[in-house]
Amino acid sequence: MWDITIDNELSKLIPEDSILRDEPMYKHTTFKTGGSADRFISVSDKEQLMGILDLLKSYGALYSAGGGDDEGRAAYYVIGNGSNLLVSDKGYDGLIIEIGSGMSECIAKGNAITAKAGTLLGKLAKTALDNSLTGLEFASGIPGSVGGAMVMNAGAYGGQMEDVVRSVTVYDIADSRVISLDNAQMDFAYRHSIIRDKGYIVLDAEFVLKEGDKQQIEDKMRELNTARKQKQPLEYPSAGSTFKRPAGFYAGGLIEECGLKGYSVGGASVSDKHAGFMINKCNATAYDIYRLIGEVREKVYADTGVRLEPEVIFMGEF
């Protein structure tokens, strides 16, 4: 249960009407389903964000993707565009802090772009295009934010954040300090970085690109986005590719091989267009999607011996 004694302290940092109560999380996730968060705040700048995080730490609140902990301490979780989250139908028993439009400034200088954590990747790619900078074409159709992209080394069509990031500024909650990590310190790997390991919160990132021909950059973005529309079920709510790519295989190929295209649980379904996508096809509950993911994993393992690992974060009690 959310510790209501924190509310008074939060209202000293931000306007009280900015602290939303029982906020439906379907509004803030790309799956468009799930229950409500006890408290929800969309921060306006990094100072406000850090102030809230320090306050929560002083109360012993836990940075957690779950609903709390065995000691009953309040929990909180920081999100971006909610593009890889499945929130339980029972909701989230804590505070959701959204880094969104209030932290979405994106500035190009020379062949570099500095973008705050709430910047959508589409905006980041458009800034690169507007300044004739190449290297971010792959990101133009990814529905996440810069912060989330740093956490999971987001990528598509042969490109990934690791290829273009010079440095990332983060907030170290444990030591209440801002630090800068260079590319090597980020420990990038497939769908991984040091961010989640250390519990850091991304504030901004700097990207180093190359000068290019604006028309060629635009053509490449259009080509990739056309391919996305043809191959991916963008007409339905989803979290993008549901599973990480298993070594030596493609998740979608394995799922299709097991005859699961179109397989449904309640309102959730394996996409007929791309079997790697679990979609909210018809007013699916979060539990429908959760069960679908579980049943797909079981079937693929039984038939192929390959264990699929979800990219999706399950938030709350299932």
Side-chain angles (χ1 to χ4, degrees):
M1 196 69 181
W2 173 249
D3 185 349
I4 60 174
T5 62
I6 301 177
D7 287 345
N8 289 336
E9 297 301 318
L10 282 172
S11 64
K12 296 176 183 178
L13 297 175
I14 61 175
E16 189 169 353
D17 59 4
S18 296
I19 307 170
L20 305 181
R21 291 162 170 78
D22 298 320
E23 176 68 2
M25 287 304 294
Y26 75 83
K27 296 180 179 180
H28 305 284
T29 64
T30 56
F31 264 131
K32 301 300 180 187
T33 190
S36 298
D38 276 359
R39 299 292 186 274
F40 183 96
I41 296 171
S42 185
V43 294
S44 60
D45 53 47
K46 69 178 182 180
E47 287 75 23
Q48 187 181 84
L49 171 63
M50 293 187 293
I52 293 170
L53 295 174
D54 286 346
L55 171 65
L56 292 168
K57 186 176 73 170
S58 73
Y59 273 83
L62 293 178
Y63 179 39
S64 168
D69 76 329
D70 292 338
E71 298 177 31
R73 286 181 286 178
Y76 67 97
Y77 193 73
V78 181
I79 70 170
N81 197 43
S83 58
N84 67 335
L85 298 179
L86 182 63
V87 181
S88 166
D89 298 309
K90 298 177 182 179
Y92 182 72
D93 193 9
L95 168 66
I96 298 292
I97 303 170
E98 180 188 65
I99 300 178
S101 60
M103 291 178 61
S104 61
E105 187 177 28
C106 187
I107 299 175
K109 186 176 181 180
N111 69 333
I113 296 177
T114 300
K116 293 185 178 179
T119 306
L120 294 177
L121 295 182
K123 177 180 178 179
L124 174 65
K126 179 65 163 54
T127 300
L129 170 63
D130 290 345
N131 289 273
S132 300
L133 297 174
T134 183
L136 278 167
E137 290 88 339
F138 73 92
S140 63
I142 299 176
S145 62
V146 165
M150 296 305 101
V151 173
M152 65 179 297
N153 189 20
Y157 293 104
Q160 55 188 348
M161 292 296 143
E162 178 180 9
D163 303 331
V164 290
V165 169
R166 170 185 282 168
S167 63
V168 182
T169 305
V170 303
Y171 190 60
D172 180 350
I173 302 170
D175 293 335
S176 297
R177 60 177 183 148
V178 175
I179 58 177
S180 180
L181 304 170
D182 63 25
N183 189 292
Q185 291 172 314
M186 283 292 291
D187 191 28
F188 282 123
Y190 175 68
R191 298 299 179 263
H192 171 270
S193 76
I194 198 174
I195 303 297
R196 185 171 290 144
D197 294 344
K198 295 290 188 179
Y200 295 151
I201 305 299
V202 177
L203 301 177
D204 60 55
E206 184 182 19
F207 302 84
V208 178
L209 307 170
K210 296 179 180 179
E211 293 182 7
D213 180 84
K214 187 172 184 179
Q215 188 60 55
Q216 290 181 2
I217 296 169
E218 186 173 19
D219 290 345
K220 185 63 175 180
M221 288 183 178
R222 186 180 297 111
E223 175 190 335
L224 295 181
N225 286 325
T226 297
R228 281 189 175 93
K229 291 176 182 177
Q230 291 174 344
K231 298 177 181 179
Q232 299 177 6
L234 302 183
E235 66 272 28
Y236 293 105
S238 77
S241 296
T242 306
F243 302 101
K244 295 180 181 180
R245 187 177 67 242
F249 300 93
Y250 288 97
L254 290 172
I255 295 167
E256 184 172 357
E257 178 185 323
C258 293
L260 291 172
K261 260 192 171 182
Y263 179 74
S264 297
V265 174
S269 179
V270 178
S271 168
D272 288 316
K273 186 181 287 188
H274 190 314
F277 284 62
M278 309 296 109
I279 60 174
N280 180 351
K281 191 171 184 177
C282 185
N283 299 317
T285 64
Y287 190 58
D288 289 340
I289 298 170
Y290 178 80
R291 282 181 55 207
L292 178 66
I293 291 171
E295 292 183 18
V296 167
R297 293 184 73 200
E298 290 177 6
K299 175 67 171 172
V300 169
Y301 181 65
D303 287 5
T304 70
V306 178
R307 294 189 184 275
L308 296 179
E309 182 181 351
E311 288 188 20
V312 176
I313 293 172
F314 303 106
M315 182 180 291
E317 182 183 343
F318 287 90

